[in-house]
Structure formats: structure tokens, C-alpha cells
Amino acid sequence: MELPVVNDGVHLAAYRPRVPLSVNGKATPGGFDESRYYQCYGDGNSVASRGSDALTGYETLDAPPNYDFYANTEVWGRRRRFRPSLYQLHANPEDDSKPPMYEETTAGQVGGDSSEEDEDEDKEPPTEPTRFGWVQGVMIRCMLNIWGVILYLRLPWITAQAGIGLTWVIILLSSCITGITGLSTSAIATNGKVKGGGTYFLISRSLGPELGGSIGLIFAFANAVAVAMHTVGFAETVVDLMRENEAVMVDRTNDIRIIGVITVTCLLGISMAGMAWESKILFFLVIMVSFASYIVGTIIPSTPEKQSKGFFSYKASIFATNFVPGWRGKEGSFFGMFSIFFPSATGILAGANISGDLKNPTVAIPRGTLMAIFWTTISYLIISATIGSCVVRDASGNINDTLSSASSMENCVGTACQYGWDFSECVKNGTCPYGIINYYQSMSMVSAFAPLITAGIFGATLSSALACLVSAPKVFQCLCKDKLYPLIGFFGKGYGKNDEPLRGYLLTYIIAACFILIAELNTIAPIISNFFLCSYSLINFSCFHASITNSPGWRPSFRFYSKWLSLLGAVCCVVIMFLLTWWAALIAFGVVFFLLGYTLYKRPAVNWGSSVQASSYNMALNQCVGLNTVEDHVKNYRPQCLVLTGPPSSRPALVDLINCFTKGLSLMLCANVVTVMQKATSDSHVAWLNKRKIKSFYRGVVASDVRSGVNMLLQGAGLGRIKPNVLMMGFKKDWRSDTPQAAHNYIGMLHDAFDLQYGVCVLRVREGLDVTRPSQSHGEWFSLNQQISTPTLIHSTLTSVSIDPEPQPNTVFQTKQGKKTIDVYWLSDDGGLTLLLPYLLTRRKRWGRCKVRVFVGGESLRQIRLNEVLQDYSREAALIVITMPVGRRGVCPSMLYLAWLDFLSRDLRPPVLLVRGNQENVLTFYCQ
């Protein structure tokens, strides 16, 4: 059966956006492989090429849905498959013509050297990495990061300060914040694969580089400081053990510094060597055994030695006394205790950080994270209640401080008096060394076997410190690779097969060592609290923002979250930040806003499909639709310009002048008409405009001739009220040498614009507008502005096509005009567009010193004489604006009308702008 052939001379497929051809994500140097272009796309069983003669009109190359079509990764042992292009599906199989060079084909992407593929298939498959379930991969990992130094060394002290009641409030408030953040994290993490970078990756890919970059720096810094916090906790325990055995190097503070620096140096060596010595399960079991030893110790009757240190097992009076606050010291306040405790609730992102190593991340991350928060919260509540029910606040530790008589009972101070112990002297003097408010190792003292608590402290502190020491450089490396900020790329360099950021490790080590020198856990913990609260606030806001934008790309598999709960969590984090330490909160937000402003100014070339982009689209759409309900009014008139530039880089003077009218004020749309293939894509044109700082859109159409294409643009360009009302074009200088038909088409475009109620402007500059240089391209293109004539054919070679923006030539409209004049010859009343445009020019800085001179009068019938006037009076003007006469269609020949315009504007040194409004008012002389 013979297939119908349609050939109207216009190849619309040629105007598709171009993407570079690639093989497995790498650009091919020589275009596409013609011999492998037509490919059978099925279920992967058949990959044999077949010629066009094998296809009939009843066959299709359509492929069923396949994961490979959507993923960016490859499977070992076979080539990645691609769906057939639209060109392949609807092309005539009997047509031998090749697809456009920049057609988005799949054959070029899958083509390659078969011998190389065979070699790959012969190689041994890479070993499959270990995949974790939700228990080992997420829950245990998160619990180990949550349990840490605060649990063992500060929770009893916080209970003594705030009382059991308020300590529970602190624990539950912290858990609510982390729980809400866990819900938001689960939603974000199940909306797509989370790579390295943890919190930074989550926020940056959701909110974009502006907020993502700033929080990436803060979160990496917070992890570096967390290394110091856990290391100091470990050093405190070691120093206390040394003191019990009467081993002191210098003094307590300096001993903590020395041991802390030695410890973090050893951890650095372990991290940089890549020694995965820590076993998560082993540490988890050690901590669980230490908890069991502690619980058993609270039940076992206390010995006299433990009683002298304040432990009396479970007593109702001790519980009642310790249930209410007993504030002491400068940290003695609710928010002071909260700031110290909150770092112990962090660590909930440990599972999301390794989503690539999980068997089923969409199930493992939500379940494991939320279960970790639940069980750690229960453990904190239990330890707080039990320690507060067994140990008094103050004790002397002196085995001889017992009550000897009834008279001494009357003078005894404290709850211990009821159990035969008198700690009154040290209580009154404030010198008691024991009790939960004085002795940080209270859990070891209560435990059935103290070394198990020590082992738990070592396991919790060292594993958490090592985890933070590894995660901080990874987050920072991810930030460096995104190239959002200068001067930090040095630390992002990776080494070895695992791309280890060794320089990042050294930076983290230096930061941690500096904070270890503080040697005070109660000072370091509040610093971390603000950073983590800031991070959690932005995670919650990311979830909320992604939800309200209603982007089709926001479809997390985790459904048990609420956008309003996420917003509440974000607000609570910010409020608590200021309640904890207002000046630290101001510093944190100052850093965020500074980095945000820098990123907004630099506009890094990244595109992550963030919710900010979706929100921008929503706002723009709503505003455009809202304009439909607003009636036009002359006071709100603004020239919205459709500029026939062709490729914008070929006529920069025209682009620069119109930009002076429209920048920050109204619409500018650069238009291009092509008849067949064009080298540069719309992306390159927009890139050129952005590099030149031109606020403009670009629109190209494919048509059989230029006038038809311009007519399409006149009728179809714009959206709602945001649509052009002024046509801008260049003057046709070669009207004498060109064909009469070309002149007729040029004048026909003016008549088409007038028919559609457009104003018209024609720019003429002495040196010409076109700065096009020969370049590698193929096909035909038309010069719309000054040479609308025979198409010029430029040959090309089969090379990979680049979309780099073209050079930026300078034009007269980019320079400061000084104290020149803008001469306006308002010859006919066109509604005022001839006057409005010069006024808009004077609002620009480079035109601000120019004086506008308006000339009124004269005949339109005396254009030759008017040219002499222009030569006499406007020779030194910066710009001449003239009301353009209108030639009657069908009465005034096109060649005569062009001669009319030519004689009016020829041989003038300044640029000449011929302007004609659509005879409707654009100026007002009233305030109503």
C-alpha cells in the first residue's frame, strides 16, 4: 500500500528544542549514527536494526512502559534502553530524509561501538552492595545517633534542675519537634531518591539553591560542632575515671582538652583511612545492656556507700521533691535546660542520609525514623522518672554523715534526713559533690555494674562523634560540588574509589578541635541547638511549601503528614530559637539571609525542579488570570513590544533600545521566523538575553514565508492581558535592490499589524542593525529587519552542536547619552505613542540627562523637506523620534511607500525611530 506523502515546504519537526546526543549520558563527538538510527524498541529481547523497507503503514515502533525510560541510572550487563522519538514514530518509512541534527533521538543515545559492549558483557558483574532493612538501616542507626552524651551525662542533671515534670515537658517538646520533622522528612525522602548530603540535599532539592545552600553550610558546621560535643562528653567520662583513681595530668579543664584533642585525632585517622571498624549492632547491644544494668541497679537495695552519694532506691518522698524544679546556676531556666537537652533529640536524619543503601527506602525511612523517635523518647522519659525517684539532689559522699540522735534530726536539711543521712553542711555551703544536681556520673553510681554504663557512654559518644565526623565533610562536599559559593571548591575534592573528601575531613577536624578547647559541654550544646533548630525549621517549611504549590512532581508515597503540621513545626522551631538564645538566632538567620542574598544575586546555573519554581509559576498564572477581570485604562497603558529580531544576538542594537523602554516596566518578546532548520535553539537565545541582562522572552515560529510567520506572532503571542500591542522591527535598507515581492511582504507586515490594532515602530541606524557573522549552522534563515529577501544558505559540517551563548557586542544604546537631546517630531496625532516612548527613555539612568525636544507642525506630504529640517536641527541628537506616515493599502504602492520612509530618514547621524500608534489614546491629561 502506498503511503500518502505530504510536503508543504515547512518542516515543523525541525524546530524542536535540541538536546546534545549522548551515549550513556556522555556527549557523542560526531552526531548520530545513521546506520543505527532506526531501532526496534520492544521489551529488550530484540535489539536488531532493521531498514525502513521492513515497516508498513500498519506497524508501529511504540514501546510499552519501562523503568529505564525514566531512570538516570544503568543496569550492569546491558545498555540502557530509550523510548523511540516522536520523529521515529510518525516519520514516513519510505522517506530517506534524515531527521534534524538536533532532533531528540534515541538512536544516537543508544548507539555505540558493539565491540566495547561485548567486552563489558564479558566482565564480571560488580558486587551488589549490602542493602539494609528498616530496623538495621534506619531505626538502629537513628537511635544510636539520638542516644549520646546528653543521655548519660546531662539528663540526670536536667531532671534535678527542671524537676521530673518539666523535664518530661522538655523531652516531649523536643520529641514533638523531631517527630513533626520526621514526618516532613519522610514525605520529602519518599518523593524521590535522596543522595549524599542529608539535610542539605533534602532542602536544596526542595526549596532550591537559595535556601538550600545556606542551610547546607549551617548543617555541616553544626555536625562539626557536634563532633566536639560528643568528644567532650567522652573526655569528661575519662577524666572522672582518672580522678577516681587519683590520676590527674594538669587540671580537670585542661585534661578534658588534652583527651578530647587526642580522641578526635584518632577518630580523624579512622575516618580518613576508611576503616569501618564500628559495628552498629555491637554498639546498640552495649547501650541496651547498659540500660538494663541501670534499671536493675535502681531496683537493687542501695548500699551505705551509694546512700552516702544520694541513692536510696525508689522513694515516694524523693519523687515528690524532685518532681518540682530546683533551679541553680546561670543555666537554671526552662529554656536553658531545653537548649542543653535538645541536641540529644537530633540524629533523626541518619536513615534518610543512606537511602541509597536501603532495600525499600519509601517504607524504611518513615517507619524506622518514627520508631526511633518513639523508642528514644520512651527511654528518656523512663530514665528521667527513675533517676528522679531514686537519687536526691545533694549528697556529701561521706560515709560518716549519718543521723546520730533525734536532736540532729531537727536541724537536718534535705530529703535524705528521712532515711538517716545528714547532708546539711554541704547543702548549706553549696559544696556537695554528689547528688543528681552535682554529680554527672549519677547513672554509673546507680547502675548494678558501673563499667557497663561507662561502656555505654563510650559507645554512644564515640559512635555519634564518628558519625558526625563522617557526615559533616560529606554534606560539605555535596555543597562544594554544586558550586553555589566561591572559594570552597577546594574542600570538595574527593580521593579514592569512594570519593572521600579528605580535605573536608581536615576542615571538620580543625573546627571540632577549636570547640573542644571550650571543654564545657553545657556551653557547646546550646550552640548546636540553634543550628539544628534552623535546619529542622527549613525541612518542615520545605514540606509545607512543596505541598501548597500543588506541583505534579510532589507525590510522596508517605501519606501520613500534614502541610499545616509542617508549618507549625517550622514556626515552633523559629520561636524556640529566639527563646533559647536570641542573639545566636539572629546570627544564624543573618548568615542564612546573607547567603540567600548572595545566591539570588549570582543566580547559579542549577535547575533542581524546586518548589520555589513551582510557586513562581502558580503566582504568575494567578496574576495573569486575575488581570482578565481588570478593564484596560489609559493610565495603565504600557508598550508591550513584539520585537522582530530574528536571532536576538544578530541585532543587538534593536534589542538594547527596546529594552530601555520595557525593562522592569512591560513585556518584551523577541521573535524569530524560520522556514526550515535553525542552528541555535531557544535555550541559546534566552542564555544570550540573560547574559546581556535583557528582561525578555523569546518566541520562534516555523512558517512557509516570513509574513505568514509574523502574522502568527501578531495573533498568537502573549497570554491574556500580557500580550504585545506594539510591533518593533528594523528598517529595510535594501528595498531598491530587492524584489518587488519582498518589498510588498515587508509593507504587508505593517498593514497586518495595523489591522490587529498594533502600534508600529521601525528603527534605522546609520551603520545598520545586522551584526550576524558566518557560523556553523545549516538550513535557511531570513533577516526580518533589514534584509527580508532571498534566503541565505549557510552550509554546515556534522559536528556536535553547542548552545553556548554568542559574544556580546557593544551598541550605542548601552552607553550613557550625556546631555544630548531626544528630538521628537510629532507630525500626526497617533494617540501619543510618539511622545510616550521618549518619556520612558528618560526614566533610564543612561538617558536621564537627555532633554526631550518636541517639534509639531508641517505637512506629511513634504517628507523630503522634513529630512532637510532633521539635518539642520537634529544632527547632534541622541535619538530622533518621528511620527511614521501611513500608506493606504491598495492605493499607495509598496515601493513608493518605502521610498517615502527612506527619504524621510536617510543620511542622519543619530538613530531614527519611526513610530506610529494605533490611533487610540496612550496619554492622559487628567487625574480622574
Side-chain angles (χ1 to χ4, degrees):
M1 177 180 176
E2 184 178 358
L3 298 179
V5 178
V6 179
N7 185 6
D8 57 1
V10 180
H11 301 280
L12 294 176
Y15 205 72
R16 289 190 55 189
R18 174 196 167 275
V19 294
L21 302 178
S22 62
V23 177
N24 296 332
K26 297 182 180 180
T28 58
F32 63 93
D33 184 359
E34 297 179 13
S35 64
R36 304 178 62 88
Y37 184 78
Y38 291 102
Q39 185 103 14
C40 177
Y41 291 85
D43 57 0
N45 296 326
S46 174
V47 293
S49 302
R50 59 181 180 179
S52 59
D53 56 346
L55 296 175
T56 71
Y58 299 102
E59 293 181 327
T60 179
L61 292 176
D62 268 328
N66 190 289
Y67 179 81
D68 280 2
F69 299 162
Y70 298 89
N72 290 325
T73 56
E74 301 176 8
V75 178
W76 186 91
R78 64 176 175 86
R79 293 175 298 163
R80 180 184 165 196
R81 289 170 291 180
F82 295 84
R83 70 174 64 86
S85 70
L86 189 59
Y87 179 88
Q88 291 171 289
L89 293 179
H90 77 87
N92 186 345
E94 297 183 356
D95 186 5
D96 293 333
S97 63
K98 302 301 185 295
M101 278 290 294
Y102 53 88
E103 175 80 61
E104 184 180 354
T105 62
T106 59
Q109 293 172 319
V110 299
D113 189 354
S114 59
S115 61
E116 293 181 2
E117 294 168 6
D118 294 338
E119 291 177 2
D120 291 340
E121 292 178 0
D122 294 337
K123 294 179 180 178
E124 290 294 329
T127 57
E128 183 70 16
T130 304
R131 303 291 181 182
F132 301 105
W134 70 272
V135 176
Q136 183 180 358
V138 181
M139 188 184 77
I140 292 179
R141 189 177 295 269
C142 288
M143 292 175 74
L144 283 173
N145 278 16
I146 293 173
W147 285 328
V149 61
I150 301 297
L151 169 66
Y152 289 98
L153 299 183
R154 289 299 182 270
L155 184 57
W157 174 74
I158 293 173
T159 303
Q161 288 272 6
I164 298 174
L166 287 182
T167 299
W168 277 34
V169 173
I170 291 173
I171 294 172
L172 293 175
L173 178 59
S174 301
S175 298
C176 285
I177 293 174
T178 56
I180 294 174
T181 306
L183 294 175
S184 301
T185 301
S186 299
I188 298 174
T190 57
N191 191 54
K193 181 173 287 188
V194 180
K195 299 180 181 179
T199 301
Y200 163 68
F201 190 90
L202 291 176
I203 297 178
S204 63
R205 269 52 178 182
S206 181
L207 283 180
E210 295 82 8
L211 285 173
S214 57
I215 207 59
L217 284 176
I218 289 179
F219 190 71
F221 182 75
N223 274 278
V225 179
V227 175
M229 182 186 73
H230 292 295
T231 305
V232 167
F234 170 82
E236 273 193 10
T237 304
V238 175
V239 169
D240 289 339
L241 290 174
M242 292 171 58
R243 290 179 61 193
E244 291 178 1
N245 293 279
E246 299 181 354
V248 178
M249 290 183 287
V250 184
D251 53 51
R252 177 179 171 81
T253 300
N254 286 309
D255 287 355
I256 292 176
R257 291 169 177 165
I258 295 171
I259 295 174
V261 172
I262 294 174
T263 302
V264 77
T265 304
C266 294
L267 293 177
L268 174 67
I270 293 172
S271 301
M272 296 182 69
M275 297 170 57
W277 65 275
E278 62 165 334
S279 172
K280 297 292 183 181
I281 297 296
L282 177 61
F283 278 121
F284 182 77
L285 292 176
V286 169
I287 292 174
M288 295 305 295
V289 170
S290 70
F291 284 168
S293 175
Y294 164 76
I295 295 298
V296 171
T298 61
I299 301 173
I300 297 176
S302 61
T303 62
E305 182 181 358
K306 288 187 176 182
Q307 288 182 356
S308 68
K309 296 180 180 180
F311 171 61
F312 296 95
S313 193
Y314 291 104
K315 302 294 181 182
S317 59
I318 295 178
F319 175 82
T321 302
N322 288 340
F323 189 82
V324 296
W327 308 117
R328 296 185 192 176
K330 60 181 181 179
E331 302 102 344
S333 65
F334 176 83
F335 288 106
M337 294 299 106
F338 180 88
S339 66
I340 294 174
F341 174 81
F342 185 75
S344 67
T346 60
I348 62 173
L349 300 176
N353 289 344
I354 63 162
S355 65
D357 299 326
L358 301 176
K359 293 179 181 177
N360 189 354
T362 59
V363 174
I365 291 175
R367 183 181 297 175
T369 302
L370 296 178
M371 288 298 290
I373 294 173
F374 174 78
W375 288 116
T376 53
T377 301
I378 295 297
S379 66
Y380 285 139
L381 294 174
I382 291 175
I383 292 174
S384 174
T386 53
I387 198 76
S389 302
C390 298
V391 185
V392 296
R393 284 191 170 98
D394 296 288
S396 65
N398 189 347
I399 195 70
N400 297 319
D401 285 346
T402 56
L403 290 175
S404 57
S405 63
S407 59
S408 59
M409 177 68 179
E410 297 177 356
N411 299 323
C412 186
V413 178
T415 308
C417 300
Q418 303 177 28
Y419 310 109
W421 291 85
D422 185 6
F423 303 135
S424 304
E425 183 177 354
C426 71
V427 170
K428 293 176 181 178
N429 298 332
T431 58
C432 294
Y434 291 96
I436 55 175
I437 204 167
N438 303 306
Y439 187 50
Y440 291 146
Q441 302 286 343
S442 294
M443 286 187 65
S444 297
M445 183 262 294
V446 172
S447 174
F449 187 60
L452 288 178
I453 298 296
T454 303
I457 294 174
F458 288 174
T461 54
L462 292 178
S463 64
S464 298
L466 188 60
C468 293
L469 185 59
V470 171
S471 63
K474 294 289 187 181
V475 173
F476 196 63
Q477 183 185 38
C478 184
L479 177 65
C480 293
K481 287 185 175 180
D482 286 337
K483 299 179 180 179
L484 301 182
Y485 305 112
L487 306 179
I488 64 173
F490 173 82
F491 299 101
K493 181 177 175 58
Y495 296 88
K497 62 179 181 180
N498 295 326
D499 196 35
E500 291 294 334
L502 301 185
R503 296 174 180 176
Y505 282 127
L506 290 175
L507 179 63
T508 304
Y509 168 78
I510 293 173
I511 295 174
C514 292
F515 279 88
I516 287 173
L517 297 180
I518 297 176
E520 180 53 55
L521 194 62
N522 294 354
T523 303
I524 300 174
I527 298 174
I528 301 175
S529 295
N530 261 298
F531 290 130
F532 278 114
L533 282 168
C534 187
S535 302
Y536 291 169
S537 175
L538 284 176
I539 289 178
N540 287 309
F541 183 74
S542 299
C543 182
F544 166 75
H545 195 268
S547 300
I548 62 171
T549 56
N550 293 319
S551 172
W554 174 250
R555 46 182 185 273
S557 59
F558 180 76
R559 301 293 183 183
F560 304 100
Y561 74 97
S562 169
K563 58 184 177 182
W564 302 114
L565 193 61
S566 298
L567 178 62
L568 176 64
V571 172
C572 288
C573 289
V574 173
V575 171
I576 293 173
M577 284 180 66
F578 282 93
L579 291 176
L580 294 182
T581 314
W582 64 268
W583 55 267
L586 288 177
I587 292 175
F589 279 100
V591 172
V592 170
F593 288 124
F594 172 78
L595 297 175
L596 171 65
Y598 176 84
T599 311
L600 289 173
Y601 174 75
K602 285 295 184 180
R603 295 188 178 275
V606 296
N607 184 7
W608 296 326
S610 64
S611 60
V612 173
Q613 294 172 318
S615 178
S616 300
Y617 175 85
N618 288 349
M619 289 188 293
L621 181 61
N622 292 333
Q623 292 294 330
C624 288
V625 174
L627 286 176
N628 290 336
T629 62
V630 180
E631 295 294 333
D632 286 331
H633 194 281
V634 65
K635 290 195 294 184
N636 291 326
Y637 174 86
R638 56 191 67 206
Q640 303 188 86
C641 302
L642 175 64
V643 191
L644 300 184
T645 59
S649 59
S650 65
R651 291 160 190 86
L654 183 61
V655 173
D656 291 336
L657 176 62
I658 308 308
N659 180 60
C660 295
F661 296 138
T662 61
K663 186 177 181 180
L665 177 69
S666 59
L667 173 69
M668 178 180 177
L669 179 62
C670 293
N672 187 15
V673 179
V674 295
T675 57
V676 284
M677 286 180 286
Q678 180 86 354
K679 169 199 168 185
T681 67
S682 60
D683 290 338
S684 67
H685 296 319
V686 173
W688 185 88
L689 291 168
N690 291 337
K691 187 176 181 180
R692 204 173 181 85
K693 298 182 179 179
I694 302 292
K695 294 184 177 181
S696 173
F697 297 97
Y698 172 83
R699 179 68 182 274
V701 296
V702 182
S704 57
D705 61 82
V706 177
R707 183 177 178 184
S708 299
V710 173
N711 199 285
M712 293 180 195
L713 291 165
L714 290 171
Q715 297 187 65
L719 178 66
R721 296 292 178 87
I722 309 296
K723 62 182 180 181
N725 54 24
V726 176
L727 176 67
M728 298 277 185
M729 56 196 305
F731 183 72
K732 182 173 177 59
K733 295 177 64 176
D734 64 339
W735 61 276
R736 292 184 178 182
S737 59
D738 211 344
T739 62
Q741 183 62 38
H744 177 72
N745 289 338
Y746 181 86
I747 300 302
M749 288 189 291
L750 300 182
H751 290 303
D752 292 342
F754 289 137
D755 289 341
L756 295 170
Q757 292 297 300
Y758 274 71
V760 174
C761 297
V762 178
L763 177 64
R764 182 174 188 177
V765 294
R766 188 173 185 178
E767 61 275 11
L769 293 173
D770 203 333
V771 296
T772 304
R773 291 175 298 276
S775 58
Q776 288 184 345
S777 63
H778 57 289
E780 298 174 334
W781 57 268
F782 286 89
S783 172
L784 297 181
N785 301 300
Q786 70 182 67
Q787 290 184 351
I788 301 188
S789 58
T790 304
T792 303
L793 183 63
I794 302 178
H795 297 284
S796 67
T797 58
L798 288 177
T799 58
S800 57
V801 182
S802 172
I803 60 172
D804 293 337
E806 297 183 31
Q808 301 283 332
N810 294 324
T811 66
V812 66
F813 301 114
Q814 288 183 305
T815 60
K816 291 187 177 180
Q817 302 301 321
K819 294 184 178 180
K820 296 182 180 179
T821 62
I822 301 176
D823 290 352
V824 181
Y825 290 83
W826 195 11
L827 307 180
S828 304
D829 193 342
D830 61 348
L833 186 63
T834 307
L835 286 182
L836 179 62
L837 295 182
Y839 164 72
L840 295 177
L841 275 181
T842 60
R843 297 175 64 178
R844 301 302 174 198
K845 186 175 182 180
R846 65 179 64 126
W847 296 84
R849 302 180 67 186
C850 290
K851 181 180 180 180
V852 177
R853 300 193 301 177
V854 181
F855 299 83
V856 180
E859 299 277 343
S860 297
L861 300 179
R862 302 182 62 186
Q863 304 302 328
I864 298 178
R865 170 56 182 158
L866 181 58
N867 181 265
E868 296 176 359
V869 174
L870 296 175
Q871 296 283 3
D872 292 339
Y873 290 96
S874 301
R875 182 179 297 272
E876 302 299 328
L879 178 68
I880 300 175
V881 182
I882 311 173
T883 304
M884 185 172 66
V886 178
R888 289 184 176 274
R889 180 163 46 195
V891 177
C892 180
S894 298
M895 296 293 286
L896 177 60
Y897 183 50
L898 272 173
W900 199 0
L901 299 181
D902 187 16
F903 281 108
L904 172 64
S905 57
R906 71 185 311 172
D907 298 330
L908 294 173
R909 181 183 300 172
V912 178
L913 184 65
L914 302 172
V915 180
R916 187 71 193 200
N918 61 359
Q919 302 301 114
E920 295 181 1
N921 288 343
V922 300
L923 295 179
T924 59
F925 295 95
Y926 55 88
C927 298
Q928 289 83 1

